[in-house]
Structures are given as structure tokens and as C-alpha cells.
Amino acid sequence: GESVGLHLPTLSVQEGDNSIINCAYSNSASDYFIWYKQESGKGPQFIIDIRSNMDKRQGQRVTVLLNKTVKHLSLQIAATQPGDSAVYFCAENFMDTGRRALTFGSGTRLQVQP
Amino acid sequence: DAGVTQSPTHLIKTRGQQVTLRCSPISGHKSVSWYQQVLGQGPQFIFQYYEKEERGRGNFPDRFSARQFPNYSSELNVNALLLGDSALYLCASSIGTVGGQETQYFGPGTRLLVL
């Protein structure tokens, strides 16, 4: 079936630098996208979301960009901190026979070097 | 407010046994979804429930079943456990607007180990 995939399995950055995590999705019917952060031993934590009628959304230190033409999603983290170290998942969401399940990729591990 | 809670946190079973996992959604949320996360992979959708009715099911065998109670809590049951069922089982809750684009908030998960 269709799935969400990520370009880089591991991203290592220096503390204070900006991080960019990329994600490709394949279902053109997807109309809602969410980025989650998962720390070791914990459940995924909501970071930011974006609907398909938008191409950019900003939160606190995070920005999500959506390019529907090439089916690409990215998460930008400004001034990356050690506490940002985790696995990041993008998830796509679409209406399918009355349900809205999330389809996740395999994740990108972000390592922040002090 | 409390987030999504799940119990137990950890569980060890042997092949062939049955297991029941429990989830309490965020107060006010009417929809619960279950996901399986195998080590090193993203969560995979198992079930979604809304107002006690199954709204959707992922590509999992009939050994997996679930239900939702009047208070919107939910149970996931897995029968005839296999080694491959070892995973982190995640519960997510959402408000439950029909057809809505809504955020799913995850609990801490139950880590199941099948020996």
C-alpha cells in the first residue's frame, strides 16, 4: 500500500544549528500531515501539523513546509537543542471509508552534538 | 489534564497465550486508535473506534480485536500470540469529529514481549 517515507535515517547536528528533516509521501489524497517526536521508551509526541490547503506553518522553533507538487514535507527546527534529540516521524492522514488512520514512515533519528 | 493512559506498561507472555491491553483517552475525546510499533519502525495502524463502533481496521489478522466502552476507554486483545507480536502497542485518542482532520495524541504505550 501507499506509505510515507523519509530520506535520511539519521541526522547529526551541532547544538545551536538549524535542523531540517525531510519526508516524502505518496498518497495524493492525503490532506492532513503531522510531525511527531518520539523519545526512547515514550509514545509519539505531537509537534506540529499542517493541512493540505497550506504550504507553511510555524510553531515555536519549528516550521513545517508542504510541497504538494512533489509530495514532500519537511520539518525545520531552529537553534537545535540537546533536548531535541529523538526520532522524528511524519504521518499522513486521509479519509478512507469513514476512518482517518495515520500512516507513518520509519522515522529519522536526530542527534544533537553539544 | 491527564493525557492518554495505557496499562500495563510492560508485559511478558509466551507463544499461544492471550493478552489484553487497556487505554483511557484524554477527557472529552471520543475516538481511540490502536497502533503497533515494531522496534526501528514507525507505528502501524491496527484499529480505530468512535462511539463504541469500529470505524476502521488495518492489515492485521483476526487474532487482533478491540472494543470501546461507554466511557470511551478501549481494550485491545491479541489471541494466540506469536513471537512477531512483540512490539510497543500505542493508543491514540482524538476528539472524534466525523471525517475531521484532527490530531491524534498518543499514550506511552505498552511494551509486549512474547517468548
Side-chain angles (χ1 to χ4, degrees), chain A residues 7-87:
Chain A
H7 296 172
L8 299 173
T10 302
L11 177 65
S12 184
V13 300
Q14 293 293 318
E15 181 178 357
D17 287 351
N18 297 331
S19 302
I20 299 176
I21 301 172
N22 296 302
C23 173
Y25 67 94
S26 59
N27 191 339
S28 57
S30 293
D31 59 5
Y32 182 50
F33 304 87
I34 308 172
W35 279 99
Y36 287 95
K37 171 187 179 183
Q38 188 172 28
E39 297 174 285
S40 181
K42 298 183 178 180
Q45 175 188 354
F46 171 83
I47 301 174
I48 192 168
D49 59 0
I50 188 167
R51 288 169 171 73
S52 58
N53 62 351
M54 304 171 67
D55 53 19
K56 180 179 181 179
R57 189 165 190 221
Q58 289 184 293
Q60 186 177 13
R61 284 200 307 119
V62 294
T63 301
V64 55
L65 300 178
L66 174 63
N67 186 330
K68 295 182 290 293
T69 302
V70 296
K71 297 179 185 173
H72 184 266
L73 198 66
S74 69
L75 176 70
Q76 301 178 3
I77 305 174
T80 312
Q81 302 169 0
D84 295 326
S85 294
V87 177

Coordinates of all heavy atoms in Angstrom, one line a residue, chain A residues 7-87:
Chain A
H7 N 13.8 10.5 3.9 CA 15.0 10.4 3.1 C 16.3 10.0 3.9 O 17.1 9.3 3.4 CB 15.3 11.8 2.4 CG 14.2 12.2 1.5 ND1 14.1 13.4 0.9 CD2 13.2 11.5 1.0 CE1 13.1 13.4 0.1 NE2 12.5 12.3 0.1
L8 N 16.4 10.5 5.1 CA 17.6 10.3 5.9 C 17.2 9.6 7.2 O 16.5 10.1 8.0 CB 18.2 11.6 6.3 CG 18.7 12.5 5.1 CD1 19.2 13.9 5.6 CD2 19.8 11.8 4.4
P9 N 17.8 8.4 7.5 CA 17.5 7.7 8.7 C 18.1 8.4 9.9 O 17.6 8.3 11.0 CB 18.1 6.3 8.5 CG 19.2 6.5 7.4 CD 18.7 7.6 6.6
T10 N 19.3 9.0 9.8 CA 20.0 9.7 10.9 C 20.5 11.0 10.5 O 21.1 11.2 9.5 CB 21.1 8.8 11.4 OG1 20.6 7.5 11.8 CG2 21.8 9.5 12.6
L11 N 20.3 12.0 11.4 CA 20.7 13.4 11.1 C 21.5 13.8 12.4 O 20.9 13.8 13.5 CB 19.6 14.3 10.8 CG 19.9 15.8 10.6 CD1 20.7 16.0 9.4 CD2 18.6 16.6 10.5
S12 N 22.7 14.2 12.2 CA 23.5 14.7 13.3 C 23.8 16.2 13.1 O 24.3 16.6 12.1 CB 24.8 13.9 13.4 OG 25.6 14.3 14.5
V13 N 23.5 17.0 14.1 CA 23.7 18.4 14.0 C 24.4 18.9 15.3 O 24.4 18.3 16.3 CB 22.4 19.2 13.8 CG1 21.7 18.8 12.5 CG2 21.5 19.0 15.0
Q14 N 25.0 20.1 15.2 CA 25.6 20.7 16.3 C 24.6 21.6 17.1 O 23.6 22.1 16.5 CB 26.8 21.7 15.9 CG 28.0 20.9 15.3 CD 28.7 20.1 16.4 OE1 28.9 20.5 17.5 NE2 29.1 18.9 16.0
E15 N 24.7 21.6 18.4 CA 23.8 22.4 19.2 C 23.8 23.9 18.7 O 24.9 24.4 18.4 CB 24.2 22.4 20.7 CG 23.3 23.1 21.6 CD 23.8 23.0 23.0 OE1 24.7 22.3 23.3 OE2 23.1 23.7 23.9
G16 N 22.6 24.4 18.5 CA 22.5 25.8 18.1 C 22.3 25.9 16.6 O 21.8 26.9 16.1
D17 N 22.6 24.9 15.8 CA 22.4 24.9 14.4 C 20.9 24.6 14.1 O 20.1 24.2 15.0 CB 23.2 23.8 13.7 CG 24.7 24.1 13.6 OD1 25.0 25.3 14.0 OD2 25.5 23.3 13.2
N18 N 20.5 24.9 12.9 CA 19.1 24.6 12.4 C 19.1 23.2 11.9 O 20.1 22.7 11.2 CB 18.6 25.6 11.4 CG 18.5 27.0 11.9 OD1 18.3 27.2 13.1 ND2 18.7 28.0 11.1
S19 N 18.0 22.5 12.1 CA 17.9 21.1 11.6 C 16.7 21.1 10.6 O 15.7 21.7 10.7 CB 17.5 20.1 12.7 OG 18.5 20.1 13.7
I20 N 16.9 20.3 9.5 CA 15.9 20.0 8.6 C 15.7 18.5 8.4 O 16.6 17.8 8.0 CB 16.2 20.7 7.2 CG1 16.4 22.2 7.4 CG2 15.1 20.4 6.2 CD1 16.8 22.9 6.1
I21 N 14.5 18.1 8.6 CA 14.1 16.7 8.5 C 13.1 16.6 7.3 O 12.1 17.3 7.3 CB 13.5 16.1 9.7 CG1 14.6 16.2 10.9 CG2 13.2 14.6 9.6 CD1 14.0 15.9 12.2
N22 N 13.4 15.7 6.4 CA 12.6 15.6 5.2 C 11.7 14.4 5.2 O 12.0 13.4 5.8 CB 13.5 15.6 3.9 CG 14.2 16.9 3.8 OD1 13.6 18.0 3.7 ND2 15.5 16.9 3.7
C23 N 10.7 14.4 4.4 CA 9.7 13.3 4.3 C 9.0 13.4 3.0 O 8.6 14.4 2.5 CB 8.7 13.5 5.5 SG 7.3 12.3 5.4
A24 N 8.9 12.2 2.3 CA 8.2 12.1 1.1 C 6.9 11.3 1.3 O 6.9 10.3 2.1 CB 9.0 11.4 0.0
Y25 N 5.8 11.7 0.8 CA 4.6 10.9 0.9 C 4.1 10.6 -0.5 O 4.4 11.2 -1.5 CB 3.5 11.7 1.7 CG 2.9 12.9 1.1 CD1 1.8 12.9 0.3 CD2 3.6 14.1 1.2 CE1 1.3 14.0 -0.3 CE2 3.1 15.3 0.6 CZ 1.9 15.2 -0.1 OH 1.4 16.3 -0.7
S26 N 3.3 9.5 -0.5 CA 2.9 9.0 -1.9 C 1.4 9.1 -2.1 O 1.0 9.0 -3.3 CB 3.4 7.6 -2.0 OG 2.8 6.7 -1.0
N27 N 0.6 9.3 -1.1 CA -0.9 9.3 -1.3 C -1.3 10.7 -1.7 O -1.4 11.6 -0.8 CB -1.6 8.8 -0.1 CG -3.0 8.5 -0.3 OD1 -3.6 9.0 -1.3 ND2 -3.6 7.6 0.5
S28 N -1.7 10.9 -2.9 CA -2.2 12.2 -3.3 C -3.5 12.7 -2.6 O -3.8 13.8 -2.6 CB -2.3 12.3 -4.8 OG -3.2 11.3 -5.2
A29 N -4.2 11.7 -2.0 CA -5.4 12.0 -1.3 C -5.2 12.5 0.1 O -6.1 13.0 0.8 CB -6.3 10.8 -1.3
S30 N -4.0 12.4 0.6 CA -3.7 12.9 1.9 C -3.9 14.4 2.0 O -3.5 15.2 1.2 CB -2.2 12.6 2.3 OG -2.0 11.2 2.4
D31 N -4.6 14.8 3.1 CA -5.0 16.2 3.2 C -4.6 16.8 4.6 O -4.9 17.9 4.9 CB -6.5 16.4 3.0 CG -7.3 15.6 3.9 OD1 -6.8 14.9 4.9 OD2 -8.6 15.6 3.8
Y32 N -3.9 15.9 5.4 CA -3.5 16.4 6.7 C -2.2 15.7 7.1 O -2.1 14.5 6.9 CB -4.6 16.1 7.7 CG -4.4 16.5 9.1 CD1 -4.0 17.8 9.4 CD2 -4.7 15.6 10.2 CE1 -3.9 18.2 10.7 CE2 -4.5 16.0 11.5 CZ -4.1 17.3 11.8 OH -3.9 17.7 13.1
F33 N -1.3 16.5 7.6 CA 0.1 15.9 7.9 C 0.5 16.3 9.3 O 0.2 17.5 9.7 CB 1.1 16.4 6.8 CG 0.7 16.1 5.4 CD1 -0.1 17.0 4.7 CD2 1.1 14.9 4.8 CE1 -0.5 16.7 3.4 CE2 0.7 14.6 3.5 CZ -0.1 15.5 2.8
I34 N 1.1 15.4 10.0 CA 1.5 15.7 11.4 C 3.0 15.2 11.5 O 3.4 14.2 11.0 CB 0.7 14.9 12.4 CG1 -0.8 15.2 12.1 CG2 1.0 15.3 13.8 CD1 -1.7 14.3 12.9
W35 N 3.7 16.0 12.3 CA 5.1 15.6 12.7 C 5.0 15.2 14.2 O 4.4 16.0 15.0 CB 6.1 16.8 12.5 CG 6.6 16.9 11.1 CD1 6.2 17.8 10.2 CD2 7.6 16.1 10.5 NE1 6.9 17.6 9.0 CE2 7.8 16.6 9.2 CE3 8.5 15.1 11.0 CZ2 8.7 16.1 8.3 CZ3 9.4 14.5 10.1 CH2 9.5 15.0 8.8
Y36 N 5.6 14.1 14.5 CA 5.7 13.6 15.9 C 7.1 13.4 16.3 O 8.0 13.1 15.4 CB 5.0 12.2 16.0 CG 3.5 12.3 16.0 CD1 2.8 12.1 14.8 CD2 2.7 12.5 17.1 CE1 1.4 12.1 14.8 CE2 1.3 12.5 17.1 CZ 0.7 12.3 15.9 OH -0.7 12.3 15.9
K37 N 7.4 13.6 17.5 CA 8.7 13.4 18.1 C 8.6 12.2 19.1 O 7.7 12.2 19.9 CB 9.2 14.6 18.9 CG 10.4 14.5 19.7 CD 10.7 15.7 20.5 CE 11.9 15.6 21.4 NZ 12.1 16.8 22.3
Q38 N 9.5 11.3 19.0 CA 9.4 10.1 19.9 C 10.8 9.9 20.6 O 11.8 9.6 19.9 CB 9.0 8.8 19.2 CG 8.8 7.7 20.1 CD 8.2 6.5 19.4 OE1 8.4 6.3 18.2 NE2 7.4 5.6 20.1
E39 N 10.8 10.1 21.9 CA 11.9 9.8 22.7 C 11.9 8.4 23.1 O 10.9 7.7 23.2 CB 12.0 10.8 23.9 CG 12.1 12.2 23.5 CD 11.9 13.2 24.7 OE1 10.8 13.4 25.2 OE2 13.0 13.7 25.1
S40 N 13.1 7.9 23.5 CA 13.3 6.5 23.8 C 12.3 6.1 24.9 O 12.3 6.7 26.0 CB 14.7 6.2 24.2 OG 14.9 4.9 24.5
G41 N 11.6 5.0 24.7 CA 10.7 4.5 25.7 C 9.4 5.3 25.9 O 8.6 5.0 26.8
K42 N 9.1 6.2 25.0 CA 7.9 7.0 25.2 C 7.0 6.9 23.9 O 7.5 6.5 22.9 CB 8.2 8.5 25.4 CG 9.0 8.7 26.7 CD 9.2 10.2 27.0 CE 9.9 10.4 28.3 NZ 10.2 11.9 28.5
G43 N 5.8 7.3 24.0 CA 4.9 7.4 22.8 C 5.2 8.6 22.0 O 5.9 9.6 22.5
P44 N 4.8 8.7 20.8 CA 5.0 9.8 19.9 C 4.3 11.1 20.5 O 3.2 11.0 21.0 CB 4.3 9.4 18.6 CG 4.3 7.9 18.6 CD 4.2 7.5 20.0
Q45 N 5.0 12.2 20.4 CA 4.6 13.4 20.9 C 4.3 14.4 19.8 O 5.1 14.6 18.9 CB 5.6 14.0 21.9 CG 5.3 15.4 22.4 CD 6.5 16.0 23.2 OE1 7.5 15.4 23.4 NE2 6.3 17.3 23.6
F46 N 3.1 15.0 19.7 CA 2.7 15.9 18.7 C 3.6 17.1 18.7 O 3.9 17.7 19.7 CB 1.3 16.3 18.9 CG 0.8 17.5 18.0 CD1 0.4 17.2 16.7 CD2 0.8 18.8 18.5 CE1 0.0 18.2 15.9 CE2 0.4 19.8 17.6 CZ 0.0 19.5 16.4
I47 N 4.1 17.5 17.5 CA 4.9 18.7 17.4 C 4.2 19.8 16.6 O 4.0 20.9 17.1 CB 6.2 18.4 16.6 CG1 7.0 17.3 17.3 CG2 7.1 19.7 16.4 CD1 8.3 16.9 16.4
I48 N 3.7 19.5 15.4 CA 3.1 20.5 14.6 C 2.3 19.7 13.5 O 2.7 18.6 13.1 CB 4.1 21.5 14.0 CG1 3.4 22.7 13.4 CG2 5.1 20.8 13.0 CD1 4.4 23.8 13.1
D49 N 1.3 20.4 13.0 CA 0.5 19.8 11.9 C 0.3 20.8 10.8 O 0.5 22.0 11.0 CB -0.8 19.2 12.4 CG -1.7 20.3 13.0 OD1 -1.3 21.5 13.1 OD2 -2.8 19.9 13.5
I50 N -0.1 20.3 9.6 CA -0.4 21.2 8.5 C -1.5 20.6 7.6 O -1.5 19.4 7.4 CB 0.9 21.6 7.7 CG1 0.6 22.7 6.7 CG2 1.4 20.3 7.0 CD1 1.8 23.2 6.0
R51 N -2.4 21.4 7.2 CA -3.4 20.9 6.3 C -3.0 21.2 4.8 O -2.2 22.0 4.6 CB -4.8 21.5 6.6 CG -5.3 21.0 7.9 CD -6.5 21.7 8.5 NE -7.1 21.0 9.6 CZ -6.6 20.9 10.8 NH1 -5.4 21.5 11.1 NH2 -7.2 20.3 11.8
S52 N -3.6 20.4 3.9 CA -3.2 20.5 2.5 C -3.5 21.8 1.9 O -3.0 22.1 0.8 CB -3.8 19.3 1.7 OG -5.2 19.4 1.8
N53 N -4.3 22.6 2.5 CA -4.6 23.9 1.9 C -3.6 25.0 2.3 O -3.7 26.2 2.0 CB -6.0 24.4 2.2 CG -6.2 24.6 3.7 OD1 -5.4 24.2 4.5 ND2 -7.4 25.2 4.1
M54 N -2.5 24.6 3.0 CA -1.5 25.4 3.4 C -0.1 24.9 2.9 O 0.0 23.7 2.6 CB -1.4 25.5 4.9 CG -2.7 25.9 5.6 SD -2.6 25.7 7.4 CE -1.4 27.0 7.8
D55 N 0.9 25.8 2.8 CA 2.2 25.3 2.4 C 3.2 25.6 3.4 O 4.4 25.1 3.3 CB 2.6 25.9 1.0 CG 2.6 27.4 1.0 OD1 2.5 28.0 2.1 OD2 2.5 28.0 -0.1
K56 N 2.9 26.3 4.5 CA 3.8 26.6 5.5 C 3.1 26.8 6.8 O 2.0 27.5 6.8 CB 4.7 27.8 5.2 CG 5.7 28.2 6.2 CD 6.5 29.4 5.7 CE 7.5 29.8 6.7 NZ 8.3 31.0 6.2
R57 N 3.6 26.4 7.9 CA 3.0 26.6 9.2 C 4.2 26.7 10.2 O 5.1 25.9 10.2 CB 2.0 25.6 9.6 CG 1.3 25.9 10.8 CD 0.0 25.1 11.0 NE -0.8 25.6 12.1 CZ -1.4 24.9 13.0 NH1 -1.3 23.6 13.0 NH2 -2.1 25.5 14.0
Q58 N 4.1 27.7 11.1 CA 5.2 27.9 12.1 C 4.7 27.7 13.5 O 3.5 28.1 13.8 CB 5.7 29.3 11.9 CG 6.6 29.5 10.7 CD 7.2 30.9 10.6 OE1 6.5 31.9 10.5 NE2 8.5 30.9 10.7
G59 N 5.5 27.1 14.3 CA 5.3 27.0 15.7 C 6.4 27.6 16.5 O 7.2 28.4 15.9
Q60 N 6.6 27.2 17.7 CA 7.7 27.7 18.5 C 8.9 26.9 18.1 O 9.1 25.7 18.3 CB 7.4 27.5 20.0 CG 8.4 28.1 20.9 CD 8.1 27.9 22.4 OE1 7.2 27.2 22.7 NE2 8.8 28.7 23.2
R61 N 9.9 27.5 17.4 CA 11.1 27.0 17.0 C 11.0 26.0 15.8 O 12.0 25.4 15.4 CB 12.0 26.3 18.1 CG 12.7 27.3 19.0 CD 13.9 26.6 19.7 NE 13.5 25.4 20.4 CZ 14.0 24.2 20.2 NH1 14.9 24.1 19.2 NH2 13.6 23.2 20.9
V62 N 9.8 25.6 15.5 CA 9.6 24.7 14.4 C 8.7 25.2 13.3 O 7.8 26.1 13.5 CB 8.9 23.4 14.9 CG1 9.8 22.6 15.9 CG2 7.6 23.6 15.6
T63 N 9.1 24.8 12.1 CA 8.3 25.2 10.9 C 8.1 24.0 10.0 O 9.0 23.2 9.8 CB 9.1 26.2 10.1 OG1 9.3 27.4 10.9 CG2 8.3 26.6 8.8
V64 N 6.9 23.8 9.5 CA 6.6 22.7 8.6 C 6.3 23.3 7.2 O 5.6 24.3 7.1 CB 5.5 21.8 9.1 CG1 4.2 22.6 9.4 CG2 5.2 20.6 8.1
L65 N 6.9 22.7 6.2 CA 6.7 23.1 4.8 C 6.1 21.9 4.1 O 6.5 20.8 4.2 CB 8.0 23.5 4.2 CG 8.8 24.7 4.8 CD1 10.1 24.9 4.1 CD2 7.9 25.9 4.8
L66 N 5.1 22.3 3.3 CA 4.4 21.2 2.5 C 4.5 21.6 1.0 O 4.1 22.7 0.6 CB 3.0 21.1 2.9 CG 2.1 20.2 2.1 CD1 2.6 18.7 2.2 CD2 0.6 20.3 2.6
N67 N 5.0 20.7 0.2 CA 5.0 20.9 -1.2 C 4.2 19.8 -1.9 O 4.7 18.7 -2.0 CB 6.5 20.9 -1.8 CG 6.6 21.2 -3.2 OD1 5.7 21.0 -4.0 ND2 7.7 21.8 -3.6
K68 N 3.0 20.1 -2.2 CA 2.1 19.1 -2.8 C 2.5 18.7 -4.2 O 2.1 17.6 -4.6 CB 0.6 19.6 -2.7 CG 0.1 19.8 -1.3 CD -1.3 20.2 -1.3 CE -1.5 21.7 -1.8 NZ -0.8 22.6 -0.9
T69 N 3.1 19.6 -4.9 CA 3.5 19.2 -6.3 C 4.4 18.0 -6.3 O 4.3 17.2 -7.2 CB 4.2 20.5 -6.9 OG1 3.3 21.6 -6.9 CG2 4.6 20.2 -8.4
V70 N 5.4 18.0 -5.4 CA 6.3 16.9 -5.4 C 6.1 16.0 -4.2 O 6.9 15.1 -3.9 CB 7.8 17.4 -5.4 CG1 8.1 18.1 -6.6 CG2 8.1 18.3 -4.1
K71 N 5.0 16.2 -3.5 CA 4.6 15.3 -2.3 C 5.7 15.2 -1.3 O 6.2 14.2 -1.0 CB 4.2 13.9 -2.8 CG 3.0 13.9 -3.7 CD 2.7 12.5 -4.2 CE 1.5 12.5 -5.2 NZ 1.3 11.2 -5.8
H72 N 6.1 16.4 -0.8 CA 7.3 16.5 0.1 C 6.9 17.3 1.3 O 6.2 18.4 1.2 CB 8.5 17.1 -0.7 CG 9.7 17.1 0.2 ND1 10.1 18.3 0.9 CD2 10.7 16.2 0.4 CE1 11.2 18.0 1.5 NE2 11.6 16.8 1.2
L73 N 7.4 16.9 2.4 CA 7.1 17.6 3.7 C 8.4 17.7 4.4 O 9.3 16.8 4.3 CB 6.2 16.6 4.5 CG 5.4 17.2 5.7 CD1 4.3 18.1 5.2 CD2 4.8 16.0 6.4
S74 N 8.6 18.8 5.1 CA 9.9 19.0 5.8 C 9.6 19.7 7.2 O 8.6 20.4 7.3 CB 10.9 19.8 5.1 OG 10.5 21.2 5.0
L75 N 10.4 19.3 8.1 CA 10.3 19.9 9.5 C 11.6 20.7 9.7 O 12.7 20.1 9.6 CB 10.1 18.8 10.5 CG 10.1 19.3 12.0 CD1 8.8 20.1 12.3 CD2 10.2 18.1 13.0
Q76 N 11.5 21.9 10.0 CA 12.7 22.7 10.3 C 12.7 23.1 11.8 O 11.7 23.5 12.3 CB 12.7 24.0 9.5 CG 12.7 23.7 8.0 CD 12.7 25.0 7.2 OE1 12.7 26.1 7.7 NE2 12.6 24.9 5.9
I77 N 13.8 22.8 12.5 CA 13.9 23.1 13.9 C 15.0 24.2 14.0 O 16.2 23.9 13.6 CB 14.3 21.9 14.7 CG1 13.3 20.7 14.5 CG2 14.4 22.2 16.2 CD1 13.6 19.4 15.2
A78 N 14.7 25.3 14.6 CA 15.6 26.4 14.7 C 16.4 26.2 16.0 O 15.8 25.8 17.0 CB 14.9 27.7 14.7
A79 N 17.7 26.6 16.0 CA 18.5 26.6 17.2 C 18.4 25.3 17.9 O 17.9 25.2 19.1 CB 18.2 27.8 18.1
T80 N 18.7 24.2 17.3 CA 18.5 22.8 17.8 C 19.2 22.7 19.2 O 20.4 23.1 19.4 CB 19.1 21.8 16.9 OG1 18.6 22.1 15.6 CG2 18.6 20.4 17.3
Q81 N 18.5 22.1 20.1 CA 19.0 21.9 21.5 C 19.2 20.4 21.8 O 18.5 19.5 21.1 CB 18.0 22.5 22.5 CG 17.7 24.0 22.2 CD 16.5 24.5 23.0 OE1 15.9 23.7 23.8 NE2 16.2 25.7 22.9
P82 N 20.0 20.0 22.8 CA 20.1 18.6 23.1 C 18.8 17.9 23.4 O 18.7 16.7 23.1 CB 21.0 18.7 24.4 CG 21.8 19.9 24.2 CD 20.9 20.9 23.5
G83 N 17.9 18.6 23.9 CA 16.6 18.0 24.2 C 15.8 17.7 23.0 O 14.7 17.0 23.1
D84 N 16.2 18.2 21.8 CA 15.6 17.8 20.6 C 16.0 16.5 20.0 O 15.4 16.0 19.1 CB 15.9 18.9 19.5 CG 15.3 20.3 19.8 OD1 14.2 20.3 20.5 OD2 15.9 21.3 19.5
S85 N 17.0 15.9 20.7 CA 17.4 14.6 20.2 C 16.3 13.5 20.4 O 15.8 13.4 21.5 CB 18.7 14.1 21.0 OG 19.8 15.0 20.7
A86 N 15.9 12.9 19.3 CA 14.8 11.9 19.4 C 14.7 11.4 17.9 O 15.4 11.8 17.0 CB 13.5 12.6 19.8
V87 N 13.7 10.5 17.8 CA 13.3 10.1 16.4 C 12.1 10.9 16.0 O 11.1 11.1 16.8 CB 12.9 8.6 16.4 CG1 12.4 8.2 15.0 CG2 14.2 7.7 16.8

